Amino acid sequence: MLIVGLTGSIGMGKSTATKLLRQMRVPVYDADAAVHAVQGPGGEALPAIEAAFPGSVRDGVLDRTALGAKVFADSAALRRLEGIVHPLVQARQRAFLKRHAARRTPIVVLDIPLLFEGNGHRRVDATLVVSAPAFLQKRRVLARPGMTEAKFEDIVRRQVPDQIKRRLADFVIPSNGGIAPTRRALVEALRALSQQRGQTWPPKPWRERWTAALARQRKR
């Protein structure tokens, strides 16, 4: 099974690429959806979040505004939150991979926003980076409800710059010319990838430990 990592900075059009891949019947694991699930009503992350950030959970529901106020611009608090959420999200990812390995699915895609930031690219066989010009990225993000220039700049500062992601990518998927060029780039990438054999599944314990250590070092 070939494992492909899909990523892109905020506002680059990754959600559109994910939708197109699913239309092509490529299984996609959505890390953001998993985060929302573990933090949603009754989610397994809620007790630990409330213990670490009192007042963030009200009547069994995460108060995202209250939690955001506690972690915004606070690197230590953000790392504490990630330490709660990430292991739960990774467990869901492993279950997804095991399920498709059992089905002998030839190619699966992991949609992970912080793929390079967390050294997740070392756990996949190839990477797709969705990219658009900076002015378009900013315009898309600032159009989101509740988004401000300060929040946008803080998010961008925490992410690996787009130009570096493009340099590291096996395939760059453009998202600034409409749906057709994005679909065409994905089709071409999948055609090339279909000629490869996966090397990262099943996971190797030494690789997992090494990758986790690199991710912790990056966050310091």
Side-chain angles (χ1 to χ4, degrees):
M1 182 172 70
L2 192 79
I3 303 175
V4 180
L6 172 71
T7 194
S9 298
I10 185 171
M12 288 298 190
K14 188 167 56 58
S15 296
T16 297
T18 296
K19 181 179 179 180
L20 291 170
L21 285 166
R22 286 184 170 137
Q23 289 175 358
M24 298 172 195
R25 301 188 181 280
V26 178
V28 179
Y29 167 82
D30 187 334
D32 273 348
V35 170
H36 283 291
V38 302
Q39 294 182 344
E44 55 265 47
L46 295 187
I49 290 175
E50 175 61 20
F53 306 99
S56 296
V57 179
R58 306 177 190 278
D59 299 322
V61 177
L62 181 66
D63 185 334
R64 298 185 185 277
T65 301
L67 179 61
K70 295 175 186 293
V71 303
F72 179 63
D74 185 336
S75 297
L78 184 60
R79 285 197 298 271
R80 194 155 66 248
L81 177 62
E82 290 173 346
I84 295 169
V85 174
H86 285 185
L88 298 172
V89 172
Q90 288 167 1
R92 288 175 176 247
Q93 177 182 300
R94 284 193 297 273
F96 168 89
L97 293 171
K98 287 180 180 179
R99 185 164 63 251
H100 284 285
R103 295 174 182 173
R104 299 184 179 277
T105 303
I107 297 178
V108 297
V109 171
L110 303 181
D111 175 352
I112 303 177
L114 301 180
L115 183 72
F116 291 110
E117 290 81 354
N119 282 302
H121 60 293
R122 299 181 186 277
R123 295 188 177 100
V124 300
D125 297 299
T127 55
L128 308 177
V129 167
V130 186
S131 182
F135 78 89
L136 182 55
Q137 173 196 26
K138 185 174 183 178
R139 188 170 70 193
R140 288 170 174 171
V141 177
L142 291 181
R144 297 180 182 181
M147 183 57 65
T148 65
E149 291 247 8
K151 287 182 181 179
F152 171 68
E153 295 299 336
D154 184 63
I155 293 169
V156 170
R157 187 168 57 249
R158 295 174 186 276
Q159 295 183 335
V160 172
D162 178 60
Q163 62 267 31
I164 294 178
K165 287 178 180 174
R166 285 188 277 110
R167 189 166 68 241
L168 294 172
D170 292 293
F171 300 90
V172 176
I173 309 299
S175 71
N176 58 309
I179 295 293
T182 302
R183 181 187 289 110
R184 185 162 54 249
L186 287 170
V187 169
E188 291 172 358
L190 290 173
R191 184 179 297 118
L193 289 168
S194 67
Q195 306 304 312
Q196 300 182 25
R197 290 180 60 84
Q199 302 294 326
T200 55
W201 186 266
K204 299 174 178 61
W206 66 267
R207 186 194 297 273
E208 294 294 301
R209 290 194 297 270
W210 178 56
T211 302
L214 287 175
R216 287 194 299 271
Q217 187 176 35
R218 178 188 287 274
K219 292 178 181 179
R220 287 175 186 159

